[in-house]
Amino acid sequence: GDALRAVAGHLADLVRRAQADGDADSGADPEAAAWLLLSVLSARRLRAAAMPASLEPAVAALALRSLAPGRSGAAGDPVTGRPAPDRPDLGLT
């Protein structure tokens, strides 16, 4: 528990540094991003046991793309499902 939380804390610090440098979405929650990355990393064995290996690069790319600069609100509010205020409602939510 404590060691994993420490790793998550260090990852969150790295996300903050990337945000400050403009290399990660400034609107992403660093702690949530850290736990997302840990979740993807920790599930590697699960995926290796059942998922076609050819999909692994796409899984990693999706996780990293979720932190890409300019992603805030790209899919709308994750709680309400409403589009972000600066984005039109395309009827997809």
Side-chain angles (χ1 to χ4, degrees), residues 3-56:
L4 191 53
R5 283 188 289 278
V7 170
H10 289 299
L11 281 173
D13 289 341
L14 290 173
V15 171
R16 284 186 197 91
R17 187 177 313 162
Q19 288 173 319
D21 292 344
D23 295 329
D25 183 2
S26 63
D29 180 311
E31 285 81 17
W35 284 104
L36 170 67
L37 293 172
L38 275 176
S39 296
V40 170
L41 291 170
S42 67
R44 175 73 175 96
R45 279 189 170 172
L46 172 75
R47 292 191 308 275
M51 183 183 81
S54 62
L55 291 177
E56 188 61 33

Side-chain angles (χ1 to χ4, degrees), residues 49-81:
M51 183 183 81
S54 62
L55 291 177
E56 188 61 33
V59 169
L62 282 170
L64 292 175
R65 206 171 5 197
S66 71
L67 297 173
R71 297 291 300 169
S72 281
D77 185 308
V79 175
T80 66

